Amino acid sequence: MTIERDQHFMRAALNAAKKALGQTSPNPAVGAVLVVDNRIVAKGHHREAGLAHAEIECLRDFGASVPARATLYVTLEPCSTAGRTAPCTDAIIKAGIKNVVVGAIDVNPRHSGRGIVKLRNAGVNVREGILAEECARLNEAFNKWIVTGKPFVIAKCGMSLDGRLTRPAGEPRWVTDAAARRHAHQLRAHVDAVLVGAETVRADDPRLTVRGIRGTRQPWRIVLTRSGRLPRNVRLFSDRFAGRTLIYSGKSLAAVLRNLGKRSITSVLIEGGGEVLGQALDGGLIDKVQLYLGPILTGGPVIAFPGRGAEATAKALRVRDASYQQIGQSVCIQGHPEIFRSE
């Protein structure tokens, strides 16, 4: 029953953490709940980098002396070093909390495992690894960036059933329906940057903003161009978010991603066009795909993922943890590509 109880309350902490998605970068999204007598008495989540962490928010939400029988559930190992905020381990110990349940271990080398050791050395009973995979997946972008210095890359596009990004010339440019496009805005709300190629800017004049979702910050907008010749009257350079548009001229996609990582951009959503998506696939730069299939066959001129392609089927990128969801009349496919290795 202890494991089932721990999982139940850790899911509540995960739900709290999900409120922070897209708001805390370059910090991870973290949630916490305080439980007394099998009842959640307080909740908290990290709201923004530089503000109080989830554990502190949770203790403030409780607003009273913590009884010895209480248990604090937190999705990520409490930090043990001072940054823009004081160590959470110190606050937990000072509050007199005797039981802490941790989801994922922090992959940050400055913190990894040290918070748990510090709590145990202070006499706190710590159980770890509860829903660890789910807790780690919540911060997959942060985890990659903090370990490699490179942003987590998501390839997203809406395509026809025959793998095209466009309809024939003169036709409406949308391949998917309005429900799928609204769903895609939720993805934009969770990333630090949206990246497109120059041809997409010329052809579509996209905004690349989050719309229809309140209380979210706008992502950076990244444009790749070989020539540097871009129309200056497009919305990326003239709207109220023009200051959040970055242009990279004559740089490879890999080099751009390295530079974005140095700017503390932890996640990048590649939205097109086909040439950029093909570069990302050929370069093995994609960490996750989110593809929307519209129920049409177009035969349009722009293929979703052109490029060199795999030399052989055995060397193709296979998608693991694939999920399929019908959204309106479209199907959303998500998963994490990995190289297939034959035995």
Side-chain angles (χ1 to χ4, degrees):
M1 290 298 294
T2 299
I3 293 178
E4 293 179 0
R5 183 176 65 246
D6 283 349
Q7 290 178 344
H8 171 75
F9 291 122
M10 188 59 72
R11 286 194 178 92
L14 272 167
N15 287 335
K18 289 174 183 177
K19 296 179 181 179
L21 286 172
Q23 306 298 312
T24 61
S25 184
N27 286 0
V30 184
V33 298
L34 187 66
V35 175
V36 178
D37 298 332
N38 286 324
R39 184 172 65 89
I40 296 175
V41 296
K43 299 179 181 180
H45 65 275
H46 184 38
R47 297 176 184 274
E48 183 181 329
L51 298 184
H53 290 184
E55 301 93 320
I56 310 303
E57 284 277 309
C58 188
L59 292 174
R60 288 176 180 172
D61 184 46
F62 187 58
S65 297
V66 179
R69 64 187 185 280
T71 301
L72 178 68
Y73 289 81
V74 59
T75 57
L76 184 67
E77 173 187 4
C79 66
S80 56
T81 58
R84 282 187 277 186
T85 61
C88 290
T89 49
D90 291 358
I92 291 170
I93 295 167
K94 184 178 179 180
I97 295 175
K98 299 301 181 184
N99 301 284
V100 174
V101 180
V102 173
I105 302 301
D106 195 338
V107 299
N108 188 335
R110 295 180 59 221
H111 303 156
S112 185
R114 297 181 183 181
I116 290 175
V117 170
K118 189 172 182 178
L119 291 173
R120 285 175 173 159
N121 287 343
V124 178
N125 174 39
V126 181
R127 297 192 296 277
E128 58 184 283
I130 303 301
L131 300 184
E133 186 174 344
E134 293 180 44
C135 291
R137 178 61 56 83
L138 185 74
N139 287 303
E140 57 189 356
F142 168 81
N143 290 344
K144 180 189 177 183
W145 175 76
I146 202 70
V147 172
T148 69
K150 301 175 185 178
F152 187 85
V153 176
I154 305 170
K156 170 259 174 181
C157 65
M159 66 172 72
S160 61
L161 292 177
D162 51 346
R164 263 61 176 182
L165 296 182
T166 60
R167 297 184 179 189
E171 292 293 316
R173 65 188 177 96
W174 299 117
V175 174
T176 56
D177 57 14
R181 296 196 294 275
R182 285 194 298 269
H183 189 268
H185 274 278
Q186 296 176 13
L187 179 58
R188 280 186 185 174
H190 292 166
V191 299
D192 291 347
V194 181
L195 184 150
V196 297
E199 284 305 313
T200 296
V201 175
R202 296 186 185 105
D204 296 341
D205 189 13
R207 285 180 279 182
L208 305 183
T209 55
V210 179
R211 301 184 294 280
I213 301 175
R214 293 182 177 180
T216 187
R217 62 180 180 177
Q218 294 295 335
W220 286 92
R221 304 179 298 187
I222 315 300
V223 181
L224 270 59
T225 171
R226 289 196 181 95
S227 66
R229 295 190 296 272
L230 293 166
R232 304 310 303 179
N233 61 343
V234 296
R235 288 179 286 198
L236 292 180
F237 308 134
S238 60
D239 66 12
R240 61 194 178 102
F241 303 114
R244 292 183 67 79
T245 300
L246 299 175
I247 302 171
Y248 286 87
S249 180
K251 302 289 185 182
S252 70
L253 179 57
V256 169
L257 292 172
R258 286 194 297 270
N259 182 263
L260 293 176
K262 292 177 181 178
R263 291 173 174 264
S264 295
I265 290 176
T266 67
S267 55
V268 174
L269 177 62
I270 299 179
E271 290 208 8
E275 184 177 342
V276 178
L277 289 167
Q279 288 179 35
L281 182 61
D282 285 344
L285 301 173
I286 299 173
D287 297 298
K288 185 176 182 178
V289 293
Q290 186 154 320
L291 310 177
Y292 295 88
L293 294 182
I296 54 176
L297 297 163
T298 72
V302 180
I303 300 173
F305 290 87
R308 299 190 310 272
E311 296 176 3
T313 302
K315 295 183 179 180
L317 287 177
R318 303 298 177 96
V319 176
R320 59 181 171 84
D321 304 326
S323 66
Y324 307 85
Q325 179 184 1
Q326 183 169 347
I327 302 171
Q329 294 299 308
S330 303
V331 174
C332 177
I333 303 173
Q334 298 183 59
H336 299 77
E338 63 179 7
I339 297 175
F340 174 77
R341 294 179 176 84
S342 58
E343 299 296 331

